[in-house]
Amino acid sequence: PEHVYKLIDGLPKDTHPMTQLSIGLLALQPGSEFGQAYRAGTVNKADYWKPTLEDSLTLLGQIPLLTARIFRNIWFDGKHIPSDPSLDWAGNYAQMMGVDDSEGFKEVTRLYLMLHADHEGGNVSAHTTHLVGSALSDPYYSYAAGVCGLAGPLHGLANQECLRWLKDT
């Protein structure tokens, strides 16, 4: 949504990408079907999973748009590349990042995302997401909390620190 893009585009360029992502996810929260249905009292407890699934699938579509925008704002002066719905999810994400337009880069992106998709709950971000969701927080809140856990130096930020070390070596 445009209001989320304006919010992200208005953040200082030196705001850490994980901070921007958590802000963006929380800014998307008003669109939560679960949150709206729960507040309206229109969802039966046995059916909580339905709007939760819809929110999760919606987020899967929104996250690449949001993260590619953050990436392009930080490293490409906010010159964005539009989404290409003719591409698969990961290929479209790779294309929007605009690092390399080759099919090889799209394939590496697919592989990278697939390898990182296996997070059942043993790490900080997955555990945090599950924990926050167990309070019946909608997926927007849960994912944002997981991103905040991922930003810690003993979890996802450790990867960034390793890349920095390799670059400096």
Side-chain angles (χ1 to χ4, degrees), residues 48-133:
Y48 283 170
W49 69 271
K50 292 176 184 176
T52 300
L53 176 61
E54 284 302 315
D55 282 351
S56 297
L57 293 173
T58 299
L59 272 167
L60 282 175
Q62 292 173 322
I63 287 173
L65 299 169
L66 182 57
T67 55
R69 187 170 201 95
I70 291 166
F71 178 80
R72 298 290 300 183
N73 281 350
I74 293 172
W75 286 285
F76 290 91
D77 296 321
K79 295 177 181 135
H80 304 114
I81 299 171
S83 175
D84 182 351
S86 71
L87 296 171
D88 62 89
W89 185 81
N92 186 40
Y93 178 58
Q95 181 263 342
M96 287 187 298
M97 288 176 57
V99 173
D100 182 338
D101 198 31
S102 70
E103 188 56 38
F105 181 71
K106 290 176 183 155
E107 192 58 34
V108 167
T109 302
R110 288 181 190 100
L111 178 62
Y112 179 84
L113 292 171
M114 182 58 72
L115 289 173
H116 283 79
D118 185 21
H119 282 68
E120 291 92 18
N123 62 52
V124 170
S125 57
H127 177 75
T128 302
T129 301
H130 293 152
L131 184 65
V132 172

Side-chain angles (χ1 to χ4, degrees), residues 16-18 71 75 97 112 116 153 155-169:
H16 194 279
M18 297 303 278
F71 178 80
W75 286 285
M97 288 176 57
Y112 179 84
H116 283 79
H155 190 22
L157 188 58
N159 295 336
Q160 186 177 336
E161 296 296 327
C162 286
L163 289 172
R164 185 176 293 124
W165 176 79
L166 285 170
K167 187 178 176 184
D168 292 343
T169 301

